[in-house]
Amino acid sequence: MDKQFELTEQQIAIIHKIPLFREISQELKGKLLDKLDYFLTPLKKGDVIIKQGTSCNHMHILLTGKLEVNIIDVSGNDIKVEDLVAPRSFATPHLFDGNNVFPATFTAVEDGLLLRATKESAFELISSDPGLLKNFLRLTGNCNVCTVSRLRILSYKSIRSRFAYYLFEYKGDNRVVSITHNQTQLAEYLNVTRPALAREIKNMIDEGLIEMDGKVVTILNRNALMQNL
């Protein structure tokens, strides 16, 4: 397959550092790209890279740039799932599942570079090394956890319940949450309007449930917040 562009040494080093290829042997790293039948695609801001429901026939590695991931639910709502920031592989589990289709639409939100490798060469590579296979299975498990978490948020009916679940999901071992989304992105993630989310956050602050400083939220009354779940 025509590779279109040659990878730089820096880009090769980036590939070696993504979780799928992390901690594999130096010998395998040296043969990695020779084993993959791949091509490179420059991305332009606004490009729709993948549409929901299309077949997944390549392993995808985002070398540079950022993608927005959205799904259309059964009601026809366009719901933002997450932002994918390079460098990382994505949608790899869907390459080998029975359905073999992308569950979401991927759109470039800034210029970047995407590597695609054929399904056949990716399978041969992953199955050739126990460490690589272990990494793949770990990524598959993490992907399933993210999917369950996303569906759980959308199962709650009220804005407060969705936001409370979001806070508990990302708070770690303490009561302080550093939100990665801005308020517009968070509203899209929770599938609510931005003004409605802003009003609910203000209500929660006024009721003494939380404090908020920029993107940092402190949970003040955990028990009261838990009653919304």
Side-chain angles (χ1 to χ4, degrees):
M1 184 176 293
D2 183 9
K3 295 180 173 55
Q4 299 179 356
F5 304 94
E6 290 296 328
L7 287 166
T8 66
E9 291 297 325
Q10 183 180 11
Q11 290 166 340
I12 293 172
I14 288 172
I15 292 172
H16 291 165
K17 290 179 181 179
I18 67 172
L20 180 59
F21 301 130
R22 193 174 294 160
E23 297 179 0
I24 62 175
S25 68
Q26 289 298 321
E27 180 182 1
L28 182 56
K29 284 182 179 180
K31 300 177 180 178
L32 196 62
L33 294 174
D34 291 332
K35 291 177 175 287
L36 286 176
D37 186 8
Y38 70 91
F39 61 102
L40 301 170
T41 304
L43 306 180
K44 295 295 183 183
K45 181 179 179 180
D47 286 349
V48 176
I49 309 305
I50 298 161
K51 289 186 177 180
Q52 181 176 331
T54 57
S55 297
C56 181
N57 298 315
H58 294 84
M59 180 173 72
H60 293 72
I61 300 175
L62 185 64
L63 295 176
T64 60
K66 181 165 70 173
L67 303 179
E68 182 177 279
V69 185
N70 293 273
I71 61 172
I72 305 296
D73 68 10
V74 292
S75 300
N77 299 311
D78 189 2
I79 303 170
K80 180 175 179 177
V81 178
E82 62 175 327
D83 286 323
L84 299 181
V85 180
R88 63 173 291 181
S89 59
F90 64 92
T92 306
H94 304 297
L95 193 57
F96 305 118
D97 68 18
N99 200 16
N100 200 42
V101 298
F102 287 103
T105 294
F106 298 75
T107 305
V109 294
E110 61 185 43
D111 293 352
L113 183 65
L114 178 66
L115 181 148
R116 289 184 173 106
T118 63
K119 177 179 179 178
E120 294 75 15
S121 66
F123 177 78
E124 288 184 12
L125 175 64
I126 292 170
S127 60
S128 70
D129 182 82
L132 194 50
L133 180 59
K134 183 178 179 180
N135 287 346
F136 171 76
L137 294 174
R138 183 184 298 115
L139 287 175
T140 301
N142 291 341
C143 181
N144 289 337
V145 168
C146 290
T147 300
V148 170
S149 176
R150 179 73 176 128
L151 293 175
R152 180 69 184 275
I153 285 179
L154 297 179
S155 72
Y156 290 106
K157 300 304 181 184
S158 72
I159 297 173
R160 179 170 297 197
S161 295
R162 292 184 181 186
F163 185 54
Y165 181 83
Y166 178 91
L167 293 177
F168 284 121
E169 184 74 4
Y170 291 99
K171 75 179 181 62
D173 297 327
N174 55 51
R175 60 194 184 102
V176 178
V177 185
S178 294
I179 297 176
T180 58
H181 303 83
N182 61 38
Q183 199 162 105
T184 298
Q185 293 169 337
L186 181 58
E188 292 175 353
Y189 185 78
L190 300 178
N191 197 28
V192 300
T193 66
R194 186 182 184 280
L197 177 61
R199 284 194 300 271
E200 192 57 54
I201 290 176
K202 182 180 184 303
N203 291 338
M204 295 169 74
I205 293 172
D206 291 344
E207 293 171 27
L209 299 177
I210 62 173
E211 287 181 347
M212 193 165 186
D213 182 12
K215 291 186 177 182
V216 178
V217 178
T218 302
I219 298 173
L220 300 178
N221 192 331
R222 182 182 184 278
N223 290 336
L225 204 56
M226 284 289 292
Q227 290 177 9
N228 294 281
L229 302 179

